[in-house]
Amino acid sequence: MDGKLIVISGFSGVGKGTVIRRLMEENEGFAFSISCTTRYRREGEVDGRDYFFLSHESFRDGIERGRFLEYAQYSGNYYGTPAQYVFNQMARGTHIILDIEYQGAFQVKEKYPDAVMLFLIPPSARTLVDRLVNRGTETREQIRSRLAQALTEADQAEHYDGILINDRLEQTLADILRIVEEPKCAEAYRRQNTALVQEIKKDINGVLKTW
Ligand code: 5GP
């Protein structure tokens, strides 16, 4: 049987990277789709492990050659999923995880309606701001841009199959595994957490006013 396509989106700083890493460490049969990006490499990131870091020119060349399953612009840079790797993994029966933002996520869903689409949210706006500040990889201005972006992303959450609160890691992992096994149960997670998305949005707006 073909592996499933699992799309994980969520605000910058929500902890997607950790969730995905642990999901793969603790479970067999999952692979991560390494994206291409034109953004600068953050300290500690490795080319070919975290991303394939490309020039704008190489990225545009990839677009012209049809190498991306999806691609989008985010905070002034291109991000895209190399198609071939995803196809190979699925054909081998491996579940393939995509950490991508909503424009790309919807392109994937259109091509693969069976893709499992999950949106991760923090337990509160404050947790998100603290995580962004504490990881220390962005300037204050970049954090502002990512918080502003989160407001736009929040409006897309309800179009995902499931909305999961990433509060306790073990719980998040269990929730994801449950949904991968039984995609229909994603809807319950969406219904349950839609109101919290709006609350977080309101609070981020408040934070931005005094940023
Ligand atoms: P970051 O710069 O923090 O690594 O990622 C910024 C945003 O780009 C995140 O929301 C992440 O999910 C998204 N992203 C990463 N890779 C891809 C990709 O291949 N395609 C799309 N559409 N978004 C991506």
Side-chain angles (χ1 to χ4, degrees):
M1 211 178 80
D2 277 1
K4 289 187 179 133
L5 243 168
I6 302 155
V7 172
I8 300 191
S9 299
F11 309 139
S12 181
V14 77
K16 284 168 293 181
T18 308
V19 167
I20 293 170
R21 199 177 61 245
R22 286 283 296 276
L23 189 66
M24 293 200 302
E25 278 169 7
E26 293 176 16
N27 300 278
E28 297 268 304
F30 288 89
F32 177 64
S33 158
I34 301 168
S35 294
C36 296
T37 184
T38 58
R39 90 146 152 70
Y40 68 95
R41 190 166 60 78
R42 289 185 197 136
E43 198 165 324
E45 284 184 329
V46 177
D47 189 26
R49 182 193 71 188
D50 301 290
Y51 279 108
F52 296 108
F53 294 96
L54 301 186
S55 64
H56 277 263
E57 198 185 4
S58 310
F59 199 102
R60 273 195 295 270
D61 185 57
I63 295 173
E64 274 164 28
R65 291 171 191 265
R67 297 227 164 106
F68 297 115
L69 178 64
E70 60 70 35
Y71 69 91
Q73 278 191 302
Y74 177 95
S75 270
N77 283 298
Y78 279 113
Y79 291 81
T81 304
Q84 197 57 51
Y85 182 75
V86 171
F87 297 151
N88 292 348
Q89 294 300 319
M90 284 168 71
R92 288 173 51 179
T94 305
H95 300 316
I96 180 92
I97 305 170
L98 273 57
D99 168 350
I100 62 177
E101 51 67 71
Y102 70 88
Q103 305 166 76
F106 298 144
Q107 293 172 40
V108 170
K109 188 71 172 177
E110 204 162 306
K111 288 186 190 161
Y112 296 94
D114 286 344
V116 178
M117 308 262 292
L118 301 176
F119 195 93
L120 295 194
I121 59 170
S124 68
R126 179 43 53 196
T127 324
L128 186 72
V129 174
D130 288 349
R131 281 186 195 159
L132 279 171
V133 170
N134 292 337
R135 84 178 174 189
T137 49
E138 276 89 21
T139 62
R140 226 179 133 71
E141 207 35 56
Q142 283 167 333
I143 293 177
R144 160 190 278 286
S145 152
R146 284 174 178 242
L147 287 174
Q149 182 77 28
L151 293 177
T152 312
E153 289 167 349
D155 289 332
Q156 305 301 328
E158 63 183 291
H159 303 302
Y160 279 70
D161 296 319
I163 300 173
L164 302 183
I165 305 173
N166 185 30
D167 188 6
R168 289 188 309 112
L169 187 57
E170 294 307 327
Q171 186 59 52
T172 309
L173 296 176
D175 292 341
I176 294 175
L177 289 176
R178 184 166 168 235
I179 294 171
V180 171
E181 280 299 307
E182 193 50 72
K184 280 201 190 90
C185 66
E187 192 186 343
Y189 287 90
R190 186 182 67 229
R191 290 218 187 122
Q192 202 175 328
N193 296 326
T194 304
L196 181 56
V197 175
Q198 290 313 314
E199 197 178 307
I200 290 172
K201 192 178 160 187
K202 196 174 94 228
D203 292 346
I204 290 177
N205 255 318
V207 169
L208 280 174
K209 279 192 188 121
T210 56
W211 191 256

